[in-house]
Amino acid sequence: MSMHLSNLPELGLEVARLRRDQGLSQRELGKLSGLAQSTLARLETGQLSEFGSRKLLRLLEVLGAGLSVTPLRGSGASFTLDDALAERRAQVEFEAQHPLTQRARG
């Protein structure tokens, strides 16, 4: 099954789903993938601002998932301010629908 994930919080939710589907705890997945349980918890709850590609690829490998890259816009199209605003609106909407993915604000 192919999914379009457009940001790190969505990726984290998908990682959590895959982990649960396989009956793994965060600790177990951490041991298998070489990541700290706390890092996985922050990824799954949208509290990470970055996640390295090597870590991601290893994590997906352990979960039996892959990564594919597909163009989102027509060939030759440039990224515009309207595109950036649309992405930001989508992010805000996602965070409103998934409050656990929002970072603690202090």
Side-chain angles (χ1 to χ4, degrees):
M1 175 170 99
S2 178
M3 296 186 80
H4 171 74
L5 304 172
S6 61
N7 56 51
L8 198 52
E10 287 178 355
L11 176 64
L13 289 173
E14 182 59 15
V15 165
R17 186 192 67 77
L18 290 168
R19 176 183 58 75
R20 286 189 306 269
D21 286 354
Q22 294 184 25
L24 294 170
S25 69
Q26 289 176 343
R27 182 172 297 208
E28 291 167 328
L29 180 56
K31 284 184 179 182
L32 292 170
S33 62
L35 297 172
Q37 181 272 329
S38 60
T39 300
L40 287 172
R42 290 190 341 260
L43 172 65
E44 290 182 3
T45 58
Q47 296 177 9
L48 288 179
S49 60
E50 296 181 339
F51 196 73
S53 58
R54 287 183 191 192
K55 290 178 185 177
L56 174 59
L57 293 172
R58 176 67 183 136
L59 184 59
L60 291 175
E61 178 184 6
V62 170
L63 290 169
L67 178 69
S68 65
V69 179
T70 57
L72 295 176
R73 295 165 193 84
S75 62
S78 61
F79 189 73
T80 67
L81 180 57
D82 288 337
D83 295 330
L85 291 171
E87 283 185 9
R88 181 65 186 131
R89 284 187 197 108
Q91 176 69 28
V92 168
E93 181 178 322
F94 175 84
E95 289 175 356
Q97 293 173 356
H98 302 88
L100 291 178
T101 64
Q102 294 182 14
R103 289 190 192 156
R105 292 182 166 69

